[in-house]
Amino acid sequence: MSSPDPVTVMKQEVGRAAAARVKSGSIVGLGTGSTTAYAIQFIGERLASGDLKDIKGIPTSFQARVLAKKYGIPLISLDEADSMDVAIDGADEVDPNKNLIKGGGAAHTQEKIVDSLAKEFIVVVDDGKLVKSLGSTFLLPVEVLPMAMTPVMKALENLGGKCDLRMGVKKAGPVVSDQGNLIIDVKFTSIDNPAEMEKTINNIPGVLENGLFVDVADVVLVGEVKDGKPNVYEL
Ligand code: 5RP
């Protein structure tokens, strides 16, 4: 059997580092994406070995729910949680102020609800996600009610954005979110004031949520491959 490539090992290590920070008795927000998937796996492995006890997860997506079930993490809903101790989630871009763009997996609406409720939000990324300014490498995902797609696109274009309806892979037609909505990916030449932009976009009637996460992240764990070996550091 061939060993996994360094990038996969690095994602595993950053997921493991986040999972290692979870304490027994915690309620844990479970994020979405390929890096967080490893954190969910390692939380499950710690539970199975007895190293971790009495954990309850709150999933941010269908994917997180399926993985939690696979790795034996009991789930609860936000209705049953008085508070949440920690959330672990990935990101598509991270700026020097720990502001993020998320939504590469079209899950940013539930992710923002869960991540922002946690007492500590730990972001797990590889160093390719670090940017000087948000929007430089990744398009900004905006979740929109299907009947409002056209007016929302016009409003986003009036803000200077170039819009693309996200299309499915191995599925004809658009990506449909876990809430049954559409995702518009928007290219802005620059996002100078992410806090202002987040509010302005969410004010457009028909927009459910956009992928700007401003002042939500507490800890950013970054994975890198150095001299062919994975390494994890805190931003
Ligand atoms: C999903 C997300 C993901 O957390 C983000 O896309 C990062 O995913 P990955 O770890 O696979 O790169 O925001 O909506």
Side-chain angles (χ1 to χ4, degrees), residues 105-106 143 146 166-168 171 173-183:
E143 178 164 358
R166 192 180 297 181
M167 301 307 282
K171 185 247 179 205
V175 166
V176 177
S177 73
D178 287 359
Q179 291 72 240
N181 296 314
L182 305 176
I183 305 294

Side-chain angles (χ1 to χ4, degrees), residues 3-212:
S3 51
D5 66 282
V7 173
T8 302
V9 177
M10 178 256 286
K11 282 189 180 203
Q12 287 171 338
E13 289 311 308
V14 76
R16 192 193 300 276
R21 291 180 178 228
V22 174
K23 297 188 179 74
S24 290
S26 302
I27 298 182
V28 188
L30 302 173
T32 304
S34 58
T35 321
T36 316
Y38 290 118
I40 296 175
Q41 177 185 340
F42 291 125
I43 291 170
E45 287 179 7
R46 287 187 65 201
L47 269 175
S49 72
D51 176 42
L52 202 55
K53 291 186 174 63
D54 187 26
I55 293 298
K56 291 186 177 64
I58 300 184
T60 56
S61 62
F62 183 83
Q63 183 208 34
R65 187 178 295 278
V66 169
L67 286 172
K69 201 171 170 204
K70 176 174 175 189
Y71 293 112
I73 304 171
L75 293 177
I76 57 171
S77 72
L78 286 174
D79 300 326
E80 299 157 273
D82 290 332
S83 63
M84 198 187 316
D85 300 287
V86 63
I88 300 172
D89 207 346
D92 301 297
E93 281 189 348
V94 182
D95 79 3
N97 298 317
K98 297 183 187 163
N99 294 325
L100 319 173
I101 285 185
K102 287 184 49 53
H108 56 280
T109 298
Q110 289 190 50
E111 290 175 326
K112 198 182 282 189
I113 295 167
V114 172
D115 297 346
S116 61
L117 283 170
K119 286 182 196 146
E120 184 180 47
F121 172 30
I122 302 174
V123 182
V124 286
V125 288
D126 58 77
D127 59 353
K129 307 282 185 67
L130 304 180
V131 295
K132 283 199 181 123
S133 159
L134 292 179
S136 30
T137 60
F138 205 80
L139 306 180
L140 178 64
V142 178
E143 178 164 358
V144 56
L145 268 71
M147 58 81 78
M149 182 188 78
T150 303
V152 168
M153 278 187 168
K154 279 186 191 149
L156 289 167
E157 275 158 20
N158 286 338
L159 290 174
K162 197 182 157 305
C163 297
D164 269 323
L165 179 64
R166 192 180 297 181
M167 301 307 282
V169 177
K170 291 196 179 179
K171 185 247 179 205
V175 166
V176 177
S177 73
D178 287 359
Q179 291 72 240
N181 296 314
L182 305 176
I183 305 294
I184 301 171
D185 289 307
V186 195
K187 176 69 193 161
F188 289 102
T189 19
S190 66
I191 301 177
D192 299 328
N193 187 337
E196 202 55 45
M197 183 66 102
E198 182 183 12
K199 287 188 207 130
T200 303
I201 293 177
N202 280 358
N203 252 342
I204 301 170
V207 169
L208 192 59
E209 189 53 85
N210 70 80
L212 284 165

